[in-house]
Amino acid sequence: MNTDQILKDLQNIVGKEFATNSPEDLYIYSQDPGASLPRPVDFVVMPKTTEEVQKIVKLANEEKIPLVPMGGGLTLSGLIIPVRGGIVLDMKRMDQIIEINELSRYALIEPGVSTGQLLAYLNEHHPDLQPAIPDAPPSATIAGNVLIHGSGYLSQKYGDHGAIVNGLEVVLASGEVVKLGSCAVSDYWFARGPIPDLVGLFLSSFGTMGIVTKLSVQIFPKPKFREIVFGLMKDEENIPNLLLEITTKEFIEDVILGKQDKPEWMKGYIFFMVYITGDSQEDIDAKLKILKKTYRKNGARYMKAPQKMIGFLLIHVYLRFRIPLEFYMIASEF
Ligand SMILES: Cc1cc2nc3c(=O)[nH]c(=O)nc-3n(C[C@H](O)[C@H](O)[C@H](O)COP(=O)(O)OP(=O)(O)OC[C@H]3O[C@@H](n4cnc5c(N)ncnc54)[C@H](O)[C@@H]3O)c2cc1C
């Protein structure tokens, strides 16, 4: 491999400042925050457009250099560290929110759009809509998450995040661009049909099938009212039945379970938090009653949490940053 020439070619494609092979730049790309050991990287390139991605892919193909796309690089399992060296394609500069279609409820975005970015954008411009995002740090990308079939606070209601993809634009290894879903036959990105659904080929393929340069993901109505209903139980055998009954109710948004020995008063109990949603306070109150009954029926107890704590939790729901259950429990001690 003629390293100098390849670097020059890459810089010609994306601009001098967006392609590098200097060791201090490569260092951070040779690892992720998980337990994988570092592995060497030869180049890092940050494209801005689909055309640039096409040129990089063609070059990598001609030179037989491995190419690994990266979003936020936060999957914790070494997915974005090349196995046999090569180019890391850092997608962060492709960060445009192209369209929010309120009517068909989808967001058409570039692959560098982060979960925090889409959430903030919807909160500001479309406050009645919410994205399905993971509990990962907000710099994680929507693309990186849906492409690994990620999951998050809306998954129990709407399915894993692979299921929310309406369509993709992908650069194949040949450099050709394909469009998958309704966008292939119209200007709209509202569904995977009506053509044969090939989106699945690109999910959980970890960049090996192509580089995603645009994607459409479903977005969802944001309920006006939310409440968090705490509960606790002793008998672990009751958990499956309780969960089954809870999750068959339409108004349940999210369920979190936890068990720990510290602080002392938590010892021996399983704690859970159930997020319920509704259109009015009366609606929430009625649902709360139903939920309490379900708890009782399954050997669990409703636990009244201090209002201050619920308020704190709901702010975090708005920010969509979920703090571990034990933190709430410890915080509630004070
Ligand atoms: C504290 C913490 C909490 C987390 N909680 C959750 C959680 O609740 N749910 C969850 O699902 N995950 C969770 N994760 C894991 C992970 O952070 C998320 O799944 C995250 O959304 C992955 O996105 P990313 O941008 O970091 O993806 P990356 O790691 O950058 O990429 C993921 C995969 O997609 C490929 N890829 C990226 N971009 C493209 C592209 N444009 N074209 C083709 N392939 C591409 C990459 O090569 C890689 O194989 C958590 C991680 C942390 C650190």
Side-chain angles (χ1 to χ4, degrees), residues 14 19 21 27 33 38 44 57 68 79 87 100 103 113 147 154 159 186 213 216-217 223 238 243 268 300 303 328 334:
V14 294
N21 68 349
Y27 172 76
V44 173
V57 169
V68 179
L79 287 180
I87 302 171
I100 301 295
L103 202 61
V113 169
L147 289 174
L154 292 181
S186 79
T213 45
S216 162
V217 290
N238 289 336
L243 283 182
M303 189 177 132
Y328 301 132
F334 301 103

Side-chain angles (χ1 to χ4, degrees), residues 40-84:
V41 175
D42 295 308
F43 305 94
V44 173
V45 191
M46 300 181 79
K48 181 70 185 156
T49 64
T50 301
E51 292 70 32
E52 289 179 3
V53 174
Q54 286 180 277
K55 288 179 188 165
I56 296 164
V57 169
K58 277 185 189 156
L59 177 71
N61 206 350
E62 278 162 23
E63 299 289 340
K64 300 287 170 252
I65 308 173
L67 192 59
V68 179
M70 169 184 153
L74 287 166
T75 24
L76 306 175
S77 42
L79 287 180
I80 45 77
I81 318 172
V83 176
R84 278 181 279 127

Side-chain angles (χ1 to χ4, degrees), residues 68-76 79-80 91 111 115 134-137 139-145 147-152 161 206-207 210-213 322:
V68 179
M70 169 184 153
L74 287 166
T75 24
L76 306 175
L79 287 180
I80 45 77
M91 305 303 285
T115 54
D135 289 324
S139 57
T141 60
I142 299 282
N145 187 253
L147 289 174
I148 60 159
H149 282 288
S151 62
H161 295 163
F206 313 119
I211 311 294
V212 172
T213 45
R322 196 158 65 174

Side-chain angles (χ1 to χ4, degrees), residues 222-233:
K222 185 153 71 185
K224 293 196 171 40
F225 286 77
R226 262 203 189 88
E227 187 64 82
I228 302 169
V229 188
F230 287 82
L232 78 168
M233 70 199 310

Side-chain angles (χ1 to χ4, degrees), residues 21 56 107 127 164 215 245 315:
N21 68 349
I56 296 164
I164 66 165
L215 64 156
E245 277 209 37
I315 290 176

